[in-house]
Amino acid sequence: MKMSWFTLLLTGLLAFSASAQDKPRVLILGGKDESQMTIGELKPAYIDFSYRANPKLSVKDIVARYVKLLKEAEDPEVRLKALQRLGSLENLYGETVESVLDREAIGRIAIQTYEEHLAAYPSHPENDWVLYQLARSYEMAAESGNTRRTLERLVKQYPRSELVSDSLFRVAEIRYAQGEYAAAETAFRDTLKSRQGGPYRLSAEYMLGWSLFQQSRLDPSMDTFISVLKKLNQQAAENQRVELRDDVLRIMSVIAGRQSGTDSLFAALERNRSTELAPLVYEHQYRYYLSNQRYQDAAGVAAHYIERFPMSAGRLDFHQRRVEAYREGNLPTLVRQEKQVVVNQLGANTAYYRSQKPEDRQALEATLSLYLSELGQFEYAMAGKAPEKDRQAHYEAAASYFDRLTAFSPESPEFASVYFLMGESYQKLGNRNQALAAYRKAGYEFPDYEKRVEAAYAVVDTFPVGALDIQPALRSERADEFERFATTYPDDARSSAVLLAAANERYAMAQYEKAKALSAQVLEPPYRLSTAQQTDARLLQGHVAFA
C-alpha cells in the first residue's frame, strides 16, 4: 500500500463527497484551542453541510492548526493523533496540504513523538505501525542506520504483521545501497519467503539477482534474472513493466559478456529450462553488441541462434540481423554471403522451407524474393565488368538466381524486369530456348512493363535471319515470332521491317495466303516502309500471285 510520509493507517477520518453544485468543501471545528484538549476531546475533522452557523476554515487553515497543535502539545499521544489527522488530510487534499507543511520540522517532531509513544507503551499491539512510521521518518531525515534498525525491530517483534514484507524489502534495499551485498541477499531472500511478500516478490527477486551479481556470483545471478524474465515476459505481453524487462535483458547480456558470451547464455537458458526465451534474449544481446559497434560479435550472436535453433520460425529473423550487422559495419561482401546462405539453406525445396507453417512461409518467400533479385542483379552487373574467362560463371549465377526467384510467383508484375535480365543471361550463355522463354514472359505478359517492347524484340533477335538451311520447325517459329512482334507493337520503328520479313518467311514456306495478307498489311499504316522496302513488298505480292 502506498502511504504518505505522515500517514498512519490508524486514521478514523470519515469519508465524504460533495456534488458538483456544492461550494468548495470546508472543515468544521469547534472553537476550543486544540492544544489544550485531551486525547478524548480531540475529535476527527469532518464535513457538515447542514451546520452552516459554525466558523468555516479552509483546508490550509485546518492544516495550520494541526501543525500548531503538533508543535505545542506536550502529550505525545495528542501529537500522535495530530500526525494521524495530517496524514488523513494529505491523502484527501494532496498538494494543498503539501504547500503549507514544514516537513523538516514535522519530521523531527514525528520521530520524537513515535519514540515517546513506544517508550510509554512498549507492548501496544499496534506498535508495528508506529515502528513503520518511525522508520519512514528516519528515512526522511536521511538516517538510514536508524531506519534499518527500526525496521529490523518491527520484523523481530511483530513477525505476523502485514508490514513485515515491506520492512524486509526496505532493509534489503538499505543493505544493498550501503554495499553490504551478502546481507542484502539474505534480506531479499527473506522477503521472498514472507507470507505477505506478494507485492514485493518480483522486485525482491530482481534485486536478489543484482546482489548476487555484485558478489560476482554470475551463474546464480543469471539464473535469478532468467526467473524474473519469465515472469516479466508475460507482463510485457500485457504492456506492463517493459522497462524493467529490458533492464533484466541488459544485465543478462553484461553477465554473458563476463563469461563465455552466447555459449553461457544458451547454457543458462537450458539449465533453467527456459529456451522459449531464446529469441528475446538473443535479440537483446545482439542489439547490445550492435549498439557498441561490435558488428562481428552481433553477427556471431545471430549465428549462434541459427546453429542452436536451425528449424525455428525465428531463424530467418536472425539471418536478417546478420545482414543488418554487416551492413552497419560496412562489410558488403559479408552481406552478400549471408544472403547467399539464406537462399541456399532456406529456399524452396529445402527441408527448412517445407517445415514452415503457411503463415511463416509467406514472410520467408518475401525475403527470399528480395535476396534472389539482389543477388541476381549483382551477378549480372559483375558479368559485364569481369574478364572474359570469368563472365560465364557470373551469367550462370545470375540466371540461376533469377530462375529460382520467378518460381515463387511467376505471374507477379514485379518480376517483369527479372524475366528480361534472365533472358539476357541465358542469351549470353547460349541457352537459346531458356532465353526465349524469359524474353517472351517479359515482352508479352506484363502490359505495364516499360521495357516490354525491347524484351519482345529480343525474341526476334535470337533468330538467325536469311539462313537458307534453317530447319522447317525453326523457320515456322521464327515467322510466328516476327509476326507476333510486328502486330503487337505496330508503332515501333522496327515493326515494318519485321512484318515484311514475316511475309517473306510465309512465302518461303509456301504459305501463300498468309504471305499475301501480310505483304498487303505492311503497306498500310501504321507501318512505314522505306521506298526500297515498299518495292520488296510489292515484288513479294507478285511472287505470291504467280505461285
Side-chain angles (χ1 to χ4, degrees):
M1 178 180 293
K2 297 289 185 182
M3 292 180 286
S4 160
W5 287 105
F6 299 97
T7 301
L8 275 174
L9 300 183
L10 303 173
T11 182
L13 191 65
L14 300 175
F16 53 84
S17 62
S19 66
Q21 288 75 27
D22 289 327
K23 296 180 180 179
R25 291 182 284 186
V26 294
L27 296 168
I28 309 301
L29 293 177
K32 187 175 181 179
D33 187 348
E34 288 183 327
S35 65
Q36 306 303 316
M37 291 182 182
T38 65
I39 295 175
E41 292 174 321
L42 186 61
K43 304 296 182 182
Y46 66 95
I47 293 205
D48 185 351
F49 291 106
S50 62
Y51 188 31
R52 303 293 185 182
N54 275 6
K56 301 176 183 179
L57 299 176
S58 69
V59 173
K60 289 185 178 181
D61 290 335
I62 189 57
V63 169
R65 292 190 64 171
Y66 276 130
V67 170
K68 181 175 183 292
L69 172 64
L70 188 62
K71 292 179 177 179
E72 296 179 0
E74 296 182 1
D75 188 338
E77 295 306 295
V78 172
R79 295 198 303 271
L80 194 65
K81 292 292 183 181
L83 285 169
Q84 181 179 326
R85 302 292 184 269
L86 284 173
S88 300
L89 290 170
E90 187 178 24
N91 278 346
L92 287 169
Y93 294 100
E95 293 181 0
T96 303
V97 175
E98 178 78 21
S99 64
V100 295
L101 287 178
D102 181 353
R103 287 200 171 278
E104 184 177 352
I106 293 176
R108 291 194 299 270
I109 295 171
I111 291 172
Q112 178 186 350
T113 300
Y114 295 136
E115 287 180 337
E116 289 177 353
H117 170 85
L118 291 167
Y121 305 97
S123 301
H124 195 285
E126 295 178 338
N127 274 356
D128 56 334
W129 294 99
V130 178
L131 286 166
Y132 186 78
Q133 293 301 325
L134 175 59
R136 299 190 72 151
S137 299
Y138 278 134
E139 189 171 353
M140 276 198 64
E143 298 181 26
S144 60
N146 283 329
T147 300
R148 176 178 54 77
R149 284 188 288 273
T150 303
L151 291 172
E152 288 173 341
R153 177 182 170 186
L154 188 162
V155 172
K156 183 177 180 180
Q157 291 185 358
Y158 300 92
R160 296 184 178 277
S161 170
E162 61 184 272
L163 296 169
V164 165
S165 295
D166 190 355
S167 299
L168 285 169
F169 184 72
R170 305 302 174 192
V171 168
E173 284 189 314
I174 293 170
R175 294 286 194 186
Y176 185 90
Q178 293 175 341
E180 301 173 11
Y181 300 121
E185 175 195 344
T186 300
F188 283 127
R189 290 191 188 279
D190 288 342
T191 305
L192 292 171
K193 296 174 185 176
S194 174
R195 290 181 301 124
Q196 300 89 13
Y200 307 97
R201 187 160 283 121
L202 189 62
S203 297
E205 191 174 12
Y206 168 74
M207 289 305 301
L208 172 61
W210 275 102
S211 300
L212 292 165
F213 174 77
Q214 296 290 6
Q215 298 175 70
S216 298
R217 295 167 61 189
L218 299 183
D219 279 348
S221 176
M222 178 73 88
D223 294 342
T224 303
F225 282 123
I226 287 175
S227 175
V228 173
L229 182 60
K230 290 175 73 172
K231 298 177 179 69
L232 286 172
N233 199 38
Q234 179 59 39
Q235 295 183 11
E238 300 167 358
N239 297 319
Q240 299 176 13
R241 309 191 77 167
V242 176
E243 290 184 4
L244 181 58
R245 185 195 67 172
D246 289 345
D247 192 61
V248 170
L249 288 166
R250 182 186 65 81
I251 188 60
M252 288 174 64
S253 294
V254 172
I255 294 172
R258 294 191 180 184
Q259 296 180 305
S260 54
T262 314
D263 285 331
S264 11
L265 201 60
F266 179 76
L269 291 173
E270 280 202 320
R271 184 169 65 243
N272 290 275
R273 299 180 180 178
S274 301
T275 53
E276 75 280 0
L277 296 174
L280 178 65
V281 173
Y282 274 75
E283 180 188 2
H284 195 278
Q285 192 181 29
Y286 164 84
R287 296 294 174 195
Y288 173 76
Y289 285 135
L290 200 64
S291 65
N292 288 288
Q293 299 182 341
R294 295 171 60 179
Y295 304 114
Q296 294 279 21
D297 288 336
V301 172
H304 196 281
Y305 181 90
I306 292 165
E307 178 185 352
R308 298 292 182 175
F309 305 95
M311 302 304 288
S312 69
R315 174 179 173 176
L316 176 64
D317 295 332
F318 284 90
H319 280 292
Q320 292 173 320
R321 290 182 180 115
R322 281 175 63 81
V323 170
E324 177 188 17
Y326 291 142
R327 183 180 291 119
E328 289 198 20
N330 194 28
L331 301 166
T333 300
L334 295 180
V335 168
R336 187 169 60 257
Q337 289 176 356
E338 188 62 28
K339 291 178 179 179
Q340 289 170 341
V341 170
V342 172
V343 300
N344 290 332
Q345 296 184 9
L346 278 63
N349 299 321
T350 63
Y352 180 84
Y353 181 88
R354 291 192 298 270
S355 71
Q356 299 307 298
K357 298 176 181 178
E359 58 270 24
D360 296 326
R361 198 175 288 176
Q362 184 176 4
L364 175 59
E365 288 183 357
T367 300
L368 289 171
S369 295
L370 176 63
Y371 288 178
L372 286 166
S373 177
E374 292 174 346
L375 291 169
Q377 291 182 61
F378 172 81
E379 294 292 346
Y380 182 82
M382 288 299 296
K385 303 174 183 177
E388 183 69 31
K389 63 183 180 64
D390 298 328
R391 288 179 185 174
Q392 180 170 347
H394 286 296
Y395 281 127
E396 286 176 349
S400 174
Y401 287 131
F402 290 139
D403 195 42
R404 293 157 67 186
L405 169 59
T406 56
F408 287 122
S409 182
E411 307 304 324
S412 177
E414 64 189 83
F415 290 162
S417 60
V418 173
Y419 281 112
F420 186 32
L421 291 179
M422 188 194 306
E424 296 278 84
S425 300
Y426 278 126
Q427 178 74 352
K428 296 291 186 181
L429 293 169
N431 193 329
R432 183 175 166 279
N433 288 335
Q434 288 183 283
L436 280 173
Y439 283 143
R440 284 169 181 152
K441 292 281 288 187
Y444 296 109
E445 297 186 21
F446 302 98
D448 296 325
Y449 177 44
E450 60 182 8
K451 292 186 177 181
R452 62 190 180 279
V453 179
E454 292 305 315
Y457 189 77
V459 176
V460 172
D461 220 21
T462 60
F463 290 94
V465 179
L468 298 178
D469 58 347
I470 189 171
Q471 297 176 355
L474 182 58
R475 168 161 274 171
S476 178
E477 183 183 3
R478 180 171 68 179
D480 289 340
E481 292 298 341
F482 285 9
E483 185 176 342
R484 185 183 188 188
F485 173 80
T487 56
T488 303
Y489 302 109
D491 294 325
D492 186 81
R494 295 163 293 190
S495 292
S496 301
V498 171
L499 188 59
L500 180 58
N504 278 292
E505 290 293 340
R506 299 299 183 187
Y507 174 75
M509 291 185 291
Q511 297 177 3
Y512 301 129
E513 291 299 325
K514 192 67 174 176
K516 177 181 179 181
L518 293 178
S519 60
Q521 182 179 354
V522 77
L523 290 168
E524 301 293 332
Y527 300 102
R528 298 176 297 277
L529 295 176
S530 65
T531 302
Q533 288 172 328
Q534 290 179 26
T535 301
D536 289 341
R538 291 191 174 92
L539 183 59
L540 176 59
Q541 286 180 323
H543 289 314
V544 169
F546 181 81

